[in-house]
Amino acid sequence: MIAGLLRRRLRPGDDTVGSADPESGRILVLTIGALAVAASLIAAIATASAVYLDRKALLSLADSTAAYAASQIDERSYYGGDDLAVTDESVSASAADFLVQAPPSLTDAPGLQLADPTGTPDGGVTAEVTLTALSRPSFLPWVLAPWSEGIPMTVTASARAS
């Protein structure tokens, strides 16, 4: 009697022991598919977040480099009586010096280098620094395989000379 009740509870309307339910197992396939989609979304969001944070760190470094370059006065122009506070050469040299002197924790981005336009776009008042680097997220999903060597980033920051 108990076995008959269990059979009816598990398979309503079916009193035979050996018959299979045509719907059995389909929820497992749907669950596995939903978990695969969720894992893919989590991986994509984690990778996008890592690239975003790398770009923000590079932008912060470019801001610091531009501020340092703007604070350095070109001595030849200053002692020569020119009104120019910074020149293209002084901005490039100051930016390179800053990147060499900066702590390694700030400049550890792979492929970090100065790029064009680095200089003064307005003839001596503003220092503009452009940095390029690669972002290499620790977990790069297979969808991003074309960027397996790194995702290129370019940022530009400017600071006014005082």
Side-chain angles (χ1 to χ4, degrees):
M1 171 137 175
I2 293 177
L5 290 174
L6 288 176
R7 225 178 307 137
R8 285 195 181 115
R9 183 174 288 165
L10 293 177
R11 297 185 189 139
D14 187 12
D15 289 337
T16 59
V17 176
S19 68
D21 185 13
E23 298 291 325
S24 69
R26 290 191 184 177
I27 197 73
L28 179 64
V29 173
L30 289 173
T31 303
I32 291 172
L35 290 176
V37 168
S40 298
L41 285 174
I42 289 171
I45 290 170
T47 301
S49 298
V51 171
Y52 175 75
L53 291 174
D54 288 345
R55 185 181 182 285
K56 292 295 281 184
L58 185 63
L59 185 58
S60 176
L61 180 63
D63 281 339
S64 300
T65 306
Y68 179 80
S71 70
Q72 303 301 309
I73 296 173
D74 183 37
E75 292 178 10
R76 287 180 289 151
S77 298
Y78 180 76
Y79 290 118
D82 293 337
D83 290 339
L84 298 177
V86 293
T87 62
D88 288 338
E89 295 81 23
S90 70
V91 170
S92 295
S94 297
D97 288 343
F98 181 81
L99 291 176
V100 168
Q101 295 172 5
S105 62
L106 296 178
T107 59
D108 64 351
L112 177 65
Q113 60 185 346
L114 284 170
D116 286 330
T118 294
T120 176
D122 57 3
V125 178
T126 304
E128 184 177 74
V129 174
T130 301
L131 296 177
T132 61
L134 293 173
S135 175
R136 291 191 178 135
S138 57
F139 180 69
L140 194 66
W142 60 270
V143 176
L144 299 175
W147 297 281
S148 62
E149 293 179 8
I151 298 170
M153 300 180 300
T154 301
V155 296
T156 301
S158 60
R160 294 190 52 89
S162 54

